[in-house]
Amino acid sequence: DADVTQTPRNRITKTGKRIMLECSQTKGHDRMYWYRQDPGLGLQLIYYSFDVKDINKGEISDGYSVSRQAQAKFSLSLESAIPNQTALYFCATSWTEPGQRGINEQFFGPGTRLTVL
Amino acid sequence: EDQVTQSPEALRLQEGESSSLNCSYTVSGLRGLFWYRQDPGKGPEFLFTLYSAGEEKEKERLKATLTKKESFLHITAPKPEDSATYLCAVLDSWGKLQFGAGTQVVVTP
């Protein structure tokens, strides 16, 4: 079974609709992230959460909101979808260890392809 | 403004033809540089982390190196299964990961 799962994998919706993308992880990681990927652009950070009570905006948070329901679950909502939110969305997780010097890598889910008509 | 730039955008190689991908960055307070591989329709897969200039990491036909302003991913004697998009990401002093746009590599038999 995959360690980081995303639902749905594909979604087509209309302008103005509310959409929720869900992410679950079984890795036991404390940190979770939401990114979007557009052709020719790098992954852009939407929101990130270092633990259940710590949620932060990324570089492109306008039009999005998130909820960290539990350590293992992190949802992304589009309150009123618009066509330029058509993209590939990825959830990622990472972990921290007390006293560690290095930074741990992020593990990505399989992505959700969202189309807003 | 912090930037991460990857070049070339696309690379077509014959099987066995070694080459290098470049990732240059202007992020201040670098805390780490990551290389990922991404196959079509899938999430990025972690390859390497580099922390300081002069550091090198190897995995099969891939070798990553780091200087103060750039990183290289060397692909030695590539095989068709090395075809993918390779992403570079830099961790800044705020703890956020900034990605480059990637280099799409196609290896033909």
Side-chain angles (χ1 to χ4, degrees):
Chain A
D1 288 340
D3 296 316
V4 184
T5 57
Q6 293 184 233
T7 55
R9 294 295 314 278
N10 289 282
R11 181 72 184 269
I12 299 174
T13 190
K14 295 182 178 180
T15 297
K17 294 291 187 181
R18 184 178 188 274
I19 297 296
M20 180 179 284
L21 309 183
E22 298 186 343
C23 176
S24 294
Q25 52 117 343
T26 58
K27 302 185 77 67
H29 289 174
D30 50 342
R31 299 185 174 196
M32 298 187 74
Y33 311 79
W34 275 105
Y35 293 90
R36 68 175 277 174
Q37 186 175 42
D38 297 277
L41 297 178
L43 286 155
Q44 296 175 280
L45 183 63
I46 307 173
Y47 270 95
Y48 61 104
S49 170
F50 284 172
D51 66 42
V52 175
K53 295 181 180 180
D54 179 23
I55 293 179
N56 305 280
K57 292 182 178 180
E59 55 191 302
I60 56 161
S61 59
D62 288 348
Y64 301 95
S65 62
V66 291
S67 173
R68 184 87 184 261
Q69 299 95 325
Q71 187 188 40
K73 295 184 182 295
F74 194 34
S75 299
L76 176 72
S77 294
L78 287 67
E79 297 301 326
S80 179
I82 56 177
N84 76 0
Q85 291 177 313
T86 293
L88 196 53
Y89 289 84
F90 288 102
C91 173
T93 72
S94 68
W95 78 106
T96 52
E97 295 172 15
Q100 76 172 83
R101 292 180 56 196
I103 305 298
N104 296 312
E105 67 272 18
Q106 294 182 11
F107 291 84
F108 285 80
T112 294
R113 185 170 296 280
L114 177 66
T115 303
V116 183
L117 302 176
Chain B
E1 182 180 329
D2 294 344
Q3 280 194 328
V4 181
T5 304
Q6 290 188 249
S7 61
E9 292 182 7
L11 188 61
R12 192 173 184 89
L13 300 171
Q14 291 276 0
E15 185 172 1
E17 178 188 1
S18 301
S19 189
S20 294
L21 315 181
N22 178 265
C23 172
S24 63
Y25 59 91
T26 58
V27 171
S28 58
L30 177 74
R31 296 177 65 190
L33 186 142
F34 298 79
W35 282 98
Y36 286 84
R37 168 192 171 125
Q38 186 175 22
D39 293 302
K42 295 187 177 182
E45 177 186 341
F46 171 73
L47 293 173
F48 304 110
T49 308
L50 301 167
Y51 293 107
S52 56
E55 190 173 0
E56 298 182 350
K57 294 274 180 74
E58 282 189 75
K59 180 180 180 180
E60 296 181 354
R61 295 175 293 282
L62 301 177
K63 179 180 178 179
T65 62
L66 180 65
T67 71
K68 288 186 177 180
K69 291 296 182 187
E70 58 191 349
S71 177
F72 293 93
L73 184 65
H74 308 278
I75 309 178
T76 301
K79 297 182 177 181
E81 53 262 44
D82 294 322
S83 298
T85 296
Y86 291 87
L87 303 174
C88 164
V90 174
L91 190 70
D92 65 20
S93 56
W94 296 96
K96 288 187 287 185
L97 208 56
Q98 187 164 347
F99 282 83
T103 295
Q104 184 179 22
V105 175
V106 174
V107 183
T108 57

